[in-house]
Amino acid sequence: MRPSRIELREIRLPLREIFEISSGARQNRRVLLLRVESEGAVGWGECVAAEDPGYSYETTETAWHVLTDFLLPPLVGHEMGGPEEILEPVSWVRGHQMARAGIEMAIWDLHAKLLGMPLWEFLGGRGDPVEVGVSVGLQPDDDTLARKVEEYLTQGYARVKIKIKPGRDVAMLSRLRDRFPQTPLMADANSAYTLDDLPLLKELDDLGLMMIEQPLGHEDLLEHSRLQSELKTPICLDESIRSVGDARLALELDSTRVVNIKPGRVGGHASSRAIHDLCREQGIPVWCGGMLESGVGRAHNLALATLPGFSLPGDISASRRYWKEDIVSPEFELEDGRMPLPQDPGIGVEPNLDRIEALTYRVETFGG
Ligand code: OSB
Ligand code: MG
């Protein structure tokens, strides 16, 4: 397989409502879409870099730069044996896993389509509907939060993740726990704490949370290991794991007992699968996180989450949790609390080209 034409496009897609985490709020997503052609088939990918460097050093602008100046030009016309080999010509590029993942995942979709196989099957997953959860941003007050949680539970989500930050943590979560004594709840701090907050983090430990996601700094593997030794609640790393090497180190140090795998954060499907395999060997459960993706990225996440080690519900929510209207057909919807798998080849959903065109801010093409 040889990509004959690659298109990179930025679209602007407003979230239905503001999404706030400890490092800041998002409302207007700048989404980078990748479209790759070969032998009459078309593969789609999405780069999850955000508007600002509050989650990762990568941003929409750095990803645009790295993709257009370094990653995409050498791939046009390059003969590839299989999707594991696709980034070989650009293996010298350091970091920028989000930029890398955008094109890598588009090529996985393309390969699966050329084989006439759904992406989940091509990745080695099972065909059953996937149990999913929802991530709830910081809310103006506890009542609004409780109302949101109630709504999502009614819609069938299997677990609810609550964003926390200093001042919106122990009291807020213990009130929520009182209202929802049996609900599988977890908290995500997006690196808002340090080891100086140990007494507070120990109070969170008594709330029966499934896990606490990324409580400490994005580079603080040693500190997470110290914290884990003080807590019974499992720590789940997100920001800290950008490669299989990071995962190996974190597991060796006992810095994490669950791993949030976001293919868009770790360089794509091959890297995600390697992290999945490593965790599985060591009996560490994984789940698929999200980055407020459009339907294109969501389709990739869902396909990945069919691998057997994804034993916990992921942040793969329905299209309408994010958008008034998604950019793919059909949109993603829960059925009996699960996300059914598309059965068509590749990602199995069709990007809506007219709508994408209308939302486009800029396009650059290579080859063709
Ligand atoms: O930390 O998991 C996170 C969204 C943007 C940036 C970071 C995170 C998130 C989410 C939302 O929690 C997950 C989703 O539903 O896409
Ligand atoms: Mg997170």
Side-chain angles (χ1 to χ4, degrees), residues 19 21 26 55 135 161 163 188 190 213 238-239 260 262 290-293 315 317 322:
F19 185 79
I21 68 177
R26 312 235 143 95
Y55 171 86
S135 171
K161 167 166 131 181
K163 293 290 183 176
D188 187 358
N190 291 104
E213 187 174 339
D238 172 358
E239 283 90 327
N260 168 339
K262 297 177 180 175
M291 290 291 293
L292 309 173
E293 286 92 344
D315 284 340
S317 310
Y322 309 92

Side-chain angles (χ1 to χ4, degrees), residues 261-281:
I261 301 180
K262 297 177 180 175
R265 184 196 70 226
V266 303
H269 286 305
S271 166
S272 297
R273 213 160 56 168
I275 296 171
H276 161 274
D277 295 350
L278 173 75
C279 290
R280 199 151 182 247
E281 270 165 37

Side-chain angles (χ1 to χ4, degrees), residues 335-354:
E335 268 174 32
D336 301 324
R338 282 162 198 266
M339 196 71 87
L341 296 177
Q343 298 300 320
D344 286 344
I347 58 173
V349 290
E350 209 41 61
N352 179 340
L353 300 180
D354 291 340

